[in-house]
Amino acid sequence: MSTSNGEKRALVIGGGIAGPVTALALRKAGVEAVVFEAYESSAEGIGGTFMIAPNGLDALATVGLGAEVGAIGQPIGPMLIEDGRGGVLAEFAGLPDLPPGRVMRRAELYEVLQRRLRESGIEVRYGKRLVGAEEGADGITARFADGDTATGDLLIGTDGTRSTVRTLIDPAAPGARYTGLLGVGGYSPHRLPGRAGHGETMHFANGARAFFGYWGLPDGAGTAWFSNIPQPDQLTAEQVRAVSPEQWLRRVRDLHADDLPARDVLREAAADTVEVFPRLEIMPSVPHWYRGRMVLVGDCAHAPSNSSGQGVSLAVESAVELARCLRDLPDHTAAFAAYEALRRPRVEKIAADAARTNNQKSSGPVGRVLFRLLAPIAMRTFLSPEKMLRPVHGHRIDWDRPVLPVASGATGRQRRAVTAP
């Protein structure tokens, strides 16, 4: 139900990254929000490493988080594509008018978000696992596993790839699809030579048997690394924990025994820093992003694989765009339709491109040889930095530009949101 001062009230389901950013964006748009998190406590202190691209940093700045996010992690500018034998196939120097992306621990961003929620007076309720929702003429009531309920004008799902809200909107909605890759990462005191050892360059190498990524830490403090290794059957968290960090590190070392510089980085890697991520998943196209008073934001609607480097960035973009639409279109159905029209083409294009990258990562030896042969040509033509990075990294949300309804008479994916000139 609306608040006492007439503002709409949104129930935001999920307290990871998309949920807090959605709540902050809604506050900026004049919509009050309460965040409901299924776990009993905040996610501060947990999670692996990821990069926020320039477009994601811009969206975070829109909700007032630019300075705080810019103070954590480390900047990443150039990206080198390597052949796994010490050679460089191509270099993406970034775009000169854009800031570098930032690589950070997930826990660092959680801390920033939770602090800002507290400072803003936005309530977060923990231990609230959504199990159902009932809509009425003037609101929607969420039901939680502990027997509690909450009522608002809108219910916004930011509850990830295993979303409950998605299944409430559409019981036949597809679930997340496993990519066939397992993520393993950690730290090595190995110091990269020259400028590479001082950070700000991300290296990607398609090795003989697995994909390897790495970057130097600031001030030559060692090397952070990750490997995407082929794993046909998805493992559970329990299966991952049943294998010791030493055994995981040994497996990665074996896969990269013939790859440079992966072999040298991994030789010195510390087993007690190894983390394994079995849920490298991608969302197929979700037919219905909203129904009635419920709508999806972030991974529950559009999770590209980690190969895109865009998961977090797209989620925070969507949070900001939904808030714009609810600000300018008082009817929530019209707002949801405009939001989907603004977002679906962009996120599905990025997800499709990332899926092709996954296929290349998990290809066999012949596929890897073909990649090494064709990559230099591709990078000089249709995969030039301007053509590849500009549409994704250069995307900006104009918060002050009004959103108009989708074109009259259009349906489904034919819809086009219109923004005022």
Side-chain angles (χ1 to χ4, degrees):
M1 306 293 289
S2 300
T3 61
S4 58
N5 61 5
E7 292 180 328
K8 286 183 178 179
R9 185 171 190 261
L11 313 177
V12 179
I13 308 300
I17 295 174
V21 177
T22 298
L24 292 168
L26 290 173
R27 167 69 66 83
K28 184 177 175 74
V31 179
E32 283 303 308
V34 180
V35 178
F36 298 86
E37 169 55 52
Y39 290 103
E40 295 292 338
S41 61
S42 165
E44 292 179 74
I46 65 172
T49 300
F50 60 82
M51 187 174 77
I52 303 182
N55 53 300
L57 295 174
D58 181 76
L60 290 168
T62 299
V63 296
L65 292 170
E68 289 174 272
V69 174
I72 59 178
Q74 70 179 98
I76 291 293
M79 292 182 284
L80 295 184
I81 310 299
E82 301 172 347
D83 61 8
R85 296 176 295 186
V88 175
L89 296 173
E91 178 177 358
F92 293 94
L95 299 171
D97 58 326
L98 298 181
R102 297 195 74 85
V103 64
M104 64 189 66
R105 299 283 299 177
R106 187 174 291 268
E108 294 178 289
L109 183 57
Y110 283 151
E111 182 179 354
V112 166
L113 293 174
Q114 294 302 318
R115 182 170 63 247
R116 178 54 63 89
L117 290 177
R118 292 190 294 268
E119 293 170 351
S120 301
I122 295 174
E123 183 181 5
V124 181
R125 301 182 190 176
Y126 295 101
K128 301 300 178 185
R129 186 171 297 278
L130 184 73
V131 294
E134 284 79 40
E135 292 193 49
D138 57 356
I140 185 167
T141 298
R143 292 186 292 104
F144 301 98
D146 62 0
D148 278 358
T149 62
T151 300
D153 297 283
L154 309 169
L155 189 146
I156 301 174
T158 61
D159 48 346
T161 58
R162 309 298 174 92
S163 172
T164 298
V165 180
R166 186 175 63 238
T167 61
L168 294 178
I169 290 174
D170 179 9
R177 188 175 69 239
Y178 175 52
T179 62
L181 297 167
L182 187 71
V184 185
Y187 163 78
S188 169
H190 179 81
R191 182 167 177 170
L192 300 170
R195 293 181 59 191
H198 294 271
E200 297 197 14
T201 300
M202 183 76 72
H203 303 256
F204 302 100
N206 203 359
R209 290 176 291 276
F211 184 88
F212 192 73
Y214 63 100
W215 64 97
L217 297 173
D219 301 320
T223 303
W225 61 269
F226 69 89
S227 179
N228 294 155
I229 62 179
Q231 174 66 41
D233 299 318
Q234 188 171 19
L235 303 180
T236 64
E238 292 73 20
Q239 288 173 313
V240 167
R241 286 194 294 269
V243 180
S244 70
E246 291 80 9
Q247 289 172 305
W248 282 116
L249 181 56
R250 187 158 53 246
R251 180 177 175 185
V252 177
R253 283 172 173 164
D254 289 344
L255 287 168
H256 291 291
D258 299 322
D259 301 332
L260 294 173
R263 183 182 64 196
D264 299 330
V265 172
L266 294 170
R267 183 184 295 119
E268 300 178 42
D272 61 356
T273 68
V274 169
E275 296 178 282
V276 182
F277 305 96
R279 285 175 58 177
L280 299 188
E281 298 173 327
I282 188 170
M283 278 302 304
S285 179
V286 175
H288 304 289
W289 283 23
Y290 65 92
R291 178 176 65 81
R293 295 177 179 269
M294 296 184 288
V295 66
L296 303 175
V297 172
D299 284 354
C300 53
H302 54 71
S305 82
N306 65 304
S307 298
S308 71
Q310 281 287 313
V312 172
S313 294
L314 293 182
V316 298
E317 279 185 5
S318 287
V320 173
E321 289 285 35
L322 175 63
R324 280 182 69 225
C325 293
L326 288 168
R327 176 197 66 191
D328 296 338
L329 302 172
D331 176 72
H332 64 268
T333 301
F336 292 167
Y339 158 70
E340 181 180 356
L342 282 168
R343 298 302 295 156
R344 185 186 284 274
R346 172 170 169 78
V347 300
E348 293 196 346
K349 169 69 164 59
I350 292 171
D353 291 344
R356 285 190 288 273
T357 301
N358 277 343
N359 292 337
Q360 186 267 318
K361 282 184 178 180
S362 57
S363 63
V366 174
R368 292 188 178 91
V369 170
L370 288 174
F371 173 78
R372 292 190 186 111
L373 292 173
L374 296 176
I377 300 171
M379 300 302 172
R380 291 194 300 268
T381 54
F382 61 90
L383 289 184
S384 67
E386 183 67 30
K387 292 181 179 179
M388 186 174 181
L389 298 181
R390 176 70 65 185
V392 179
H393 289 192
H395 184 78
R396 295 293 179 267
I397 297 171
D398 186 349
W399 175 263
D400 295 325
R401 193 175 188 184
V403 177
L404 302 179
V406 295
S408 176
T411 59
R413 297 187 186 186
Q414 295 176 328
R415 289 174 172 160
R416 293 292 184 271
V418 179
T419 55

